[in-house]
Amino acid sequence: MTPKTGMLALVLLSGCQQRAAQEPSSGNDEVTATANVAAPSPPANEAVSNTNSDARAPLAEPTGPIDPNSTEAAGQVVQHYGALIEQDRFAEAANYWGDPDTAAAFAKQLQTRGLKHLEIGKPGDSEGAAGSIYVTMPVSFYGGSNRSAANIILRRVNDVPGSTAAQRRWHIERIEWKA
């Protein structure tokens, strides 16, 4: 392990917190990993490319440096977003969205429903369209006895001329509630 990767591993590990006890599941097998990590500022450049779309398995912890263009990097965006939601830091959580107005509207939905925790499933396959890459993360928002399943759709613009650093990092494009 090089000093650089060792430091990155230490930073990543020091930001993680383990949940001592989880609220009971409502039987939703699609979502099994809990997002409960300390949330740093949004990364400057994050991305995705995954081939495993089994949403029933938990999001695996990375074993080394994370490629900012990987599905794992998109998963970290969702983990950090979830950690900020748990801490009622909605203004900071909005930084993980592509559109601040949509982020604010969604935060109001979470607060109205009393949902402040997030379980994350494995990301789906990445898909490309018109110069962008998308990945869908199955999640479950919960709080008290309320639980709502959703899909978080993340997007990043490919490294195309004229694109900004903010466009090239993974960000939440939208969150769709499941019926």
Side-chain angles (χ1 to χ4, degrees), residues 3-88:
K4 184 177 178 183
T5 58
M7 181 60 82
L8 178 60
L10 272 175
V11 169
L12 289 174
L13 287 174
S14 68
C16 293
Q17 300 171 350
Q18 295 299 321
R19 180 183 300 274
Q22 288 183 319
E23 294 183 35
S25 174
S26 66
N28 181 352
D29 289 337
E30 282 192 5
V31 183
T32 55
T34 301
N36 191 18
V37 297
S41 299
N45 186 9
E46 299 192 85
V48 147
S49 65
N50 181 29
T51 57
N52 187 351
S53 62
D54 181 7
R56 285 178 257 172
L59 180 63
E61 288 295 322
T63 57
I66 296 175
D67 176 359
N69 297 325
S70 69
T71 303
E72 291 82 9
Q76 281 193 323
V77 168
V78 176
Q79 287 178 330
H80 295 160
Y81 176 74
L84 289 168
I85 294 299
E86 285 190 356
Q87 298 168 21
D88 293 324

Side-chain angles (χ1 to χ4, degrees), residues 2 9 19 32-33 58 64 82 86 88 90 95 98 115 124 127 145-146 156 160 162 173-174:
T2 68
R19 180 183 300 274
T32 55
E86 285 190 356
D88 293 324
F90 294 100
N95 293 327
L115 305 172
E127 299 177 21
S145 62
N146 298 328
R156 78 174 291 274
V160 297
E173 182 73 11
R174 65 184 182 278

Side-chain angles (χ1 to χ4, degrees), residues 139-170:
V139 300
S140 182
F141 290 94
Y142 65 97
S145 62
N146 298 328
R147 180 175 288 273
S148 297
N151 282 322
I152 297 181
I153 294 84
L154 295 111
R155 176 181 178 226
R156 78 174 291 274
V157 172
N158 287 326
D159 300 333
V160 297
S163 63
T164 66
Q167 292 170 324
R168 290 188 303 268
R169 72 170 173 83
W170 283 108

